[in-house]
Amino acid sequence: MPGFQPRPLHPERSARDLYGAEIRRLREAAGMSLTRLAEVLQFSKAHLSRIETAESPPPPGLSEKLDAAFGTGGTFLRLYPLARLEQYPDRYRRFMDLATQAMVREGYSETVHGLLQTRAFAEVILRAGAPFASEDEIEHKVAARLKQQERLHGPNPPRYWFILDEASLRRIVGNPRLMRDQMQQLLQAGTLRHVTLQVLPFSAGAHSELGGSLTLLTLPGGSTVAYEEGSRNGLLIEKSDIVAKRRAYYDLLRAQALSPRESQAMISKALEAFDHAAQPLAEE
């Protein structure tokens, strides 16, 4: 059997990739294994491995330790601000870049859409999706998600259209009190003039997006791209004929969903149920 081959690094891609590549270069030049470097730094080996391969951004405090360990005179400390700014792995960056340009953003999701999540809801969801991540990694993910919401609530926002599966109103994430707060946030979002919110009820039955999510971004100039995401990966679609098919799928979901008014009523009923269930928690 061939020996273990470390994952190739691509320092030319981004500051985060360069940061990780420098760790590996200096580590190997010093004849150190990843395990030994983690011991020297008093840092999680698993987390350090993800930083070296640019899967995770460097956390505060690590750069100083790396400069001390390798005697690099502040190289990592200078790279850190740039690497930290790159909040998303390489495969998501183009989608996120396009999302910041979109004039209209439409989406379907089986859970509460990330742009509509409370901090507490986002933390539980992200922790469930990465059960072995460190506290710093989770905090970074939460901060990145909340930052995406700034455009939704900022000046001159794009047009948003959200279709949420009824499961997002039924599955308890965290506890009833957390869900009550999340339902309140959904109701508030539904009152924004640039937001349309619909619920796809269970009665709609099977549909094209079961098990995943779909986002359509209408860009300046009128072109549209689609983004499909599962629990562990995502796919950006830019070919116009394939995007047109995804548009047709989304339009069908929109027709099957409850009206915005009916959707607000369903969310209100969910809020009432969670509020009732949360009362014993408040008395404890």
Side-chain angles (χ1 to χ4, degrees):
M1 291 181 64
F4 169 75
Q5 296 296 318
R7 177 177 171 176
L9 302 182
H10 303 277
E12 73 283 356
R13 284 182 177 173
S14 69
R16 186 195 289 190
D17 287 273
L18 177 59
Y19 191 104
E22 282 298 286
I23 293 176
R24 179 179 292 179
R25 182 182 70 80
L26 292 165
R27 176 176 64 76
E28 292 180 346
M32 299 176 72
S33 66
L34 194 64
T35 299
R36 178 55 186 154
L37 179 58
E39 291 173 351
V40 170
L41 300 175
Q42 297 183 328
F43 197 80
S44 162
K45 176 189 172 183
H47 192 182
L48 186 62
S49 175
R50 290 192 292 274
I51 294 168
E52 185 175 282
T53 54
E55 295 177 58
S56 294
L62 177 62
S63 301
E64 294 89 337
K65 291 182 178 181
L66 287 168
D67 282 326
F70 293 127
T72 42
T75 295
F76 286 99
L77 196 58
R78 289 189 290 272
L79 273 176
Y80 170 74
L82 295 175
R84 188 68 175 180
L85 282 174
E86 295 169 353
Q87 298 174 328
Y88 306 101
D90 182 68
R91 63 183 179 276
Y92 297 128
R93 286 179 195 150
R94 177 155 174 77
F95 168 70
M96 295 309 303
D97 287 344
L98 293 173
T100 62
Q101 304 170 34
M103 306 300 291
V104 180
R105 179 167 179 162
E106 301 159 282
Y108 162 80
S109 56
E110 285 195 321
T111 187
V112 174
H113 195 285
L115 295 179
L116 302 174
Q117 293 175 4
T118 65
R119 168 178 276 277
F121 189 98
E123 183 174 344
V124 174
I125 285 288
L126 292 168
R127 192 179 300 280
F132 307 115
S134 68
E135 290 298 317
D136 183 77
E137 287 179 288
I138 295 299
E139 177 55 33
H140 176 76
K141 290 175 181 289
V142 171
R145 178 155 297 183
L146 295 180
K147 186 171 180 59
Q148 292 178 44
Q149 299 178 6
E150 292 178 358
R151 194 168 183 227
L152 173 67
H153 300 289
N156 302 315
R159 185 80 175 83
Y160 291 92
W161 197 303
F162 299 102
I163 301 176
L164 305 182
D165 197 277
E166 185 178 345
S168 66
L169 313 183
R170 307 301 180 197
R171 182 183 298 279
I172 296 180
V173 173
N175 57 56
R177 183 165 49 200
L178 186 156
M179 290 299 297
R180 177 196 62 195
D181 295 343
Q182 180 61 72
M183 294 303 106
Q184 288 176 334
Q185 182 142 314
L186 287 180
L187 288 174
Q188 292 170 0
T191 65
L192 298 175
R193 293 201 299 176
H194 60 285
V195 172
T196 299
L197 181 59
Q198 290 182 274
V199 175
L200 183 69
F202 290 146
S203 60
H207 58 82
S208 63
E209 304 310 310
L210 273 175
S213 67
L214 173 64
T215 298
L216 298 171
L217 303 176
T218 302
L219 305 173
S223 63
T224 302
V225 300
Y227 185 74
E228 294 180 325
E229 190 169 21
S231 62
R232 292 290 181 271
N233 51 61
L235 174 66
L236 180 66
I237 303 170
E238 298 184 75
K239 289 188 63 177
S240 59
D241 57 335
I242 303 178
V243 171
K245 290 181 180 179
R246 299 305 184 270
R247 160 63 68 194
Y249 296 164
Y250 190 80
D251 287 344
L252 184 57
L253 287 179
R254 194 187 337 248
Q256 294 172 314
L258 300 176
S259 71
R261 179 173 294 181
E262 293 170 328
S263 299
Q264 290 285 88
M266 180 177 280
I267 296 169
S268 294
K269 288 182 179 179
L271 169 60
E272 292 175 7
F274 287 125
D275 188 41
H276 179 75
Q279 290 176 11
L281 296 177
E283 294 170 1
E284 292 179 359

